[in-house]
Amino acid sequence: MSGTALAPRGVHVSIETSGLVEEIEQYLASLPGPLHPPTPYVCPLGSTLQPWNAGHPLPHRTLLDRLVHRPARPADVTVAGHLRLTSRYLAASGWLQGALWDPRGRVCLLGAQAAVLAHGYGTPYTVRRARAQVMEVLHATGRPVDSPDAYNDRPGTTQADVHLLLDNAAARALVLGI
């Protein structure tokens, strides 16, 4: 019964010969199209505030760590993940120039990387590789400086510039698979 409809004996009706397809196409063409593209739903109550390390596991001490009085093993993060966490930490705590941190809790680029490491995300090796990616982006975009800290403290650099730098370095690290 593929493609045939029930009809009186001796009459063969198929979808191709019945004109049903053309009739459906004409009907669909006569319908009005959407007036405008659908807009995404935005909650009228706003968004919820999330901690800077949301979505990453908290490092926790095992029984052996507690018995030998050592800190928890660092949570495993990629170089790209470390750079994203650094940007999120900067956004949560605030940014400053000319010092690692201040009494209000604001940090510079290096201070944010140190804080992410101190909270147990990654290893010193991860931080060194992340800083190398930041330097690669700085040099590739025509901003030759001696270190990411010199760029952070340079007059005219804004917090948005630092976040963009971290985002570009994270994207580069992601492409490299690190």
Side-chain angles (χ1 to χ4, degrees):
M1 270 211 4
S2 65
T4 60
L6 294 177
R9 184 172 279 260
V11 178
H12 180 72
V13 178
S14 70
I15 293 176
E16 294 82 24
T17 60
S18 69
L20 184 60
V21 172
E22 291 84 18
E23 186 178 335
I24 292 172
E25 287 175 345
Q26 289 173 0
Y27 169 74
L28 291 175
S30 70
L31 293 175
L35 298 176
H36 50 80
T39 57
Y41 175 75
V42 177
C43 179
L45 303 176
S47 61
T48 60
L49 186 62
Q50 294 186 353
W52 66 271
N53 57 349
H56 293 275
L58 291 173
H60 64 282
R61 293 173 59 191
T62 64
L63 177 61
L64 182 59
D65 292 334
R66 289 190 293 266
L67 288 174
V68 296
H69 304 291
R70 66 180 178 202
R73 183 172 174 222
D76 194 27
V77 297
T78 62
V79 171
H82 171 79
L83 290 164
R84 281 192 228 102
L85 280 172
T86 301
S87 182
R88 289 165 59 179
Y89 189 87
L90 269 173
S93 62
W95 174 73
L96 86 138
Q97 291 178 301
L100 281 176
W101 60 82
D102 69 0
R104 291 179 20 198
R106 298 179 305 166
V107 292
C108 71
L109 176 57
L110 178 60
Q113 285 188 295
V116 169
L117 180 64
H119 278 87
Y121 294 101
T123 62
Y125 179 67
T126 308
V127 175
R128 283 193 301 273
R129 292 177 73 192
R131 289 180 68 78
Q133 293 306 308
V134 171
M135 285 301 294
E136 290 290 332
V137 170
L138 283 170
H139 286 282
T141 55
R143 297 175 280 193
V145 291
D146 294 334
S147 72
D149 313 318
Y151 176 74
N152 181 85
D153 295 339
R154 191 176 73 181
T157 299
T158 64
Q159 183 175 359
D161 295 334
V162 174
H163 285 292
L164 183 62
L165 173 65
L166 289 168
D167 188 44
N168 289 338
R172 185 177 195 283
L174 197 60
V175 166
L176 293 174
I178 58 175

